[in-house]
Amino acid sequence: MRITDGSPEERSFLAVYERPDGTVTAVLALNRPRAFMRLRRELSSGVPAGHGSRSG
């Protein structure tokens, strides 16, 4: 798991779960609904998720 935006200390973050090759397999967010939904849609459609995206 890699936090791509925010931090747990801020109680607002976006994290991605990745395979060793960098393929995103899941997303997790707390108080980042826009970024979460965007990455979730990309993941479900098969489009590679943006790795350091900062929206939300």
Side-chain angles (χ1 to χ4, degrees), residues 32-43:
R32 301 273 175 160
R34 285 187 214 127
F36 173 79
M37 291 305 293
R38 180 181 46 79
L39 286 177
R40 185 172 166 234
R41 276 192 304 272
E42 290 175 5
L43 186 60

Side-chain angles (χ1 to χ4, degrees), residues 1-51:
M1 180 181 81
R2 179 172 59 93
I3 295 176
T4 61
D5 196 12
S7 73
E9 294 80 21
E10 296 172 5
R11 295 181 182 228
S12 179
F13 65 88
L14 178 70
V16 294
Y17 288 85
E18 299 170 310
R19 293 186 179 137
D21 68 0
T23 302
V24 175
T25 59
V27 295
L28 173 69
L30 179 65
N31 295 323
R32 301 273 175 160
R34 285 187 214 127
F36 173 79
M37 291 305 293
R38 180 181 46 79
L39 286 177
R40 185 172 166 234
R41 276 192 304 272
E42 290 175 5
L43 186 60
S44 67
S45 70
V47 174
H51 287 296

